[in-house]
Amino acid sequence: MDMQAPQHRFVTGKLGYLAPSGHRPYQYMTPPPAGAAWHNTEYEQRACRIVNARHVAASLSLENNGFELLDRPSKVSDFNDAAQVQGVYYRELEQLALELTGGLRAQVFDHQLRQREAGRPALGFGREAASTTPAALGRVHNDYTESSGPRRARQLMPDMAQDHPFLILNFWRPVDYAALDTPLALCDPRSFPMQDWACADLIYPDRKGEIYLGRHAPGHHWYYYPAMTPREMLVFVSFDSRLDSTVRMTPHCAFDDPTAPDDAPPRRSIEARCLVVLD
């Protein structure tokens, strides 16, 4: 495989948008009860222009565009070791979050390892199987809504979240090898108005969460960083409590890169979410 960073300016990739419907979407995150469907939604695969952000990386920033690529190797030697991830990686990310934002406190509160399925079947919600390892998530979405973002912050830092603005950041990186076959696409939030979001329920055995699913519109501006290596990391805004911020949440979606080599290994990645309380 040629491991050099691709020089193309953009690709045309298919992104999974929520199809129009008259009901509130839901998605089970574990096998549903007998007779129940995993979800009640339909998605449409839209061909989108996705810009190679490596050519314009200097013009993109967390503050102005909602995402940024960092050269930030980790001291973690095995991301499958949950104790090592929680003991080492969480501390690395909390320190980085404070450096990036000038925040008062930072707390990483969860992480998720994902493994692209062998054979690269059609991308879905990453959960419609009994596998213990979630797959790549091929739906345009944001992890928090106007309701679930503040609720999560109050659960984590009840002493501060009521009185301070806050961010929830997502840190995403490939593990073990470069992400060639199924990279992460990110949309500039300034091109994605609130009317293009739909609230959706995520149903767990003991609770119900809420996220946004994206509806298609022609003005969305998508980017990706091809051939990301494990020493590189994406940071992007999952939620910003400040109503005057222009990058309050960053739409994102995995997609099959049409330029990926035929022998590209299935993408493996880790994502971690971090609450940052601001001054």
Side-chain angles (χ1 to χ4, degrees), residues 15 50 183-187 222-225 234 250-255:
L15 303 180
I50 308 173
L184 192 67
L186 305 108
C187 187
W222 288 96
Y223 298 84
Y224 86 117
Y225 295 87
L234 273 169
T250 309
H252 54 289
C253 179
F255 75 102

Side-chain angles (χ1 to χ4, degrees), residues 42-171:
E42 296 294 332
Y43 296 89
E44 44 190 18
Q45 295 295 311
R46 292 283 191 151
C48 298
R49 177 188 171 100
I50 308 173
V51 172
N52 180 349
R54 292 191 183 278
H55 289 286
V56 292
S59 67
L60 300 172
S61 69
L62 183 67
E63 181 178 5
N64 294 324
N65 308 94
F67 61 90
E68 189 171 340
L69 182 70
L70 306 173
D71 183 359
R72 197 82 175 198
S74 172
K75 294 181 180 179
V76 174
S77 60
D78 182 6
F79 281 99
N80 293 302
D81 182 349
Q84 189 177 165
V85 170
Q86 293 172 8
V88 177
Y89 197 51
Y90 281 24
R91 304 292 86 77
E92 291 176 344
L93 297 182
E94 287 165 356
Q95 179 180 350
L96 175 58
L98 295 177
E99 292 176 8
L100 291 172
T101 65
L104 299 174
R105 283 175 59 185
Q107 179 182 339
V108 175
F109 55 89
D110 72 6
H111 74 278
Q112 184 74 72
L113 281 165
R114 293 188 182 274
Q115 171 76 57
R116 181 70 166 104
E117 308 98 320
R120 294 170 64 185
L123 286 166
F125 218 88
R127 290 281 188 163
E128 295 184 19
S131 172
T132 57
T133 302
L137 206 169
R139 306 303 188 207
V140 175
H141 71 287
N142 188 68
D143 298 342
Y144 294 96
T145 69
E146 297 288 6
S147 296
S148 62
R151 182 167 62 246
R152 195 72 176 101
R154 290 192 298 269
Q155 291 169 346
L156 293 166
M157 293 187 188
D159 58 326
M160 298 188 73
Q162 299 275 39
D163 302 321
H164 293 267
F166 66 88
L167 295 170
I168 299 177
L169 300 178
N170 192 316
F171 294 93

